[in-house]
Amino acid sequence: QVQLVESGGGLVQAGGSLRLSCAASGRTFSIATMAWFRQVPGQEREFVAASSWRYGPTYYADSVKGRFTISRDNARITAYLQMNGLKPEDTAVYYCAASNRRTSWWVSDYDYWGQGTQVTVSS
């Protein structure tokens, strides 16, 4: 099993920045890909970014390209999502996800999920 714990969410004004962290523990050797998704109440969970340090390229949703960056600290087995130029429409609960598969933007391809962290962007 893998456990994921997100942190770093909060309230920020439009145009501001936040950095989310996702700390992995447990059977971390099995992780090939880590990703970030987000969800607004009443809507489906939406892909944000994903990166595999074992298989393939890094993907970003069109809505965040050029503003968000996914990265990883190998020593601490932590993934990050640097979010710059935040917009009110970025307001959501952000979830970290992990899998032993190739990079994917499908929710169903991820086996492990964090509890989520709220990001609120005021206009």
Side-chain angles (χ1 to χ4, degrees), residues 7 9 12 29 31 37 42 44 50 53 57-58 67-68 71 73 78 85 88-89 92 94 104 107 122:
S7 61
V12 64
F29 61 85
I31 297 174
F37 289 76
E44 292 187 354
W53 296 274
T58 297
R67 299 188 298 123
F68 291 11
S71 62
D73 180 332
T78 301
E89 51 263 44
Y94 283 71
S104 169
V107 169
S122 63

Side-chain angles (χ1 to χ4, degrees), residues 13-26:
Q13 288 188 336
S17 299
L18 281 175
R19 189 176 82 154
L20 305 183
S21 299
C22 174
S25 61

Side-chain angles (χ1 to χ4, degrees), residues 29-44:
F29 61 85
S30 66
I31 297 174
T33 298
M34 294 186 77
W36 290 92
F37 289 76
R38 64 189 182 186
Q39 189 168 23
V40 174
Q43 297 184 17
E44 292 187 354

Side-chain angles (χ1 to χ4, degrees), residues 42-58:
Q43 297 184 17
E44 292 187 354
R45 196 161 293 189
E46 174 189 38
F47 171 77
V48 175
S51 184
S52 174
W53 296 274
R54 189 178 301 171
Y55 292 125
T58 297

Side-chain angles (χ1 to χ4, degrees), residues 32-35 50-57 59 98-106 109-110:
T33 298
M34 294 186 77
S51 184
S52 174
W53 296 274
R54 189 178 301 171
Y55 292 125
Y59 292 139
S99 82
N100 61 2
R101 304 178 184 86
R102 296 178 180 272
T103 315
S104 169
W105 50 76
W106 300 109
D109 283 339
Y110 292 87

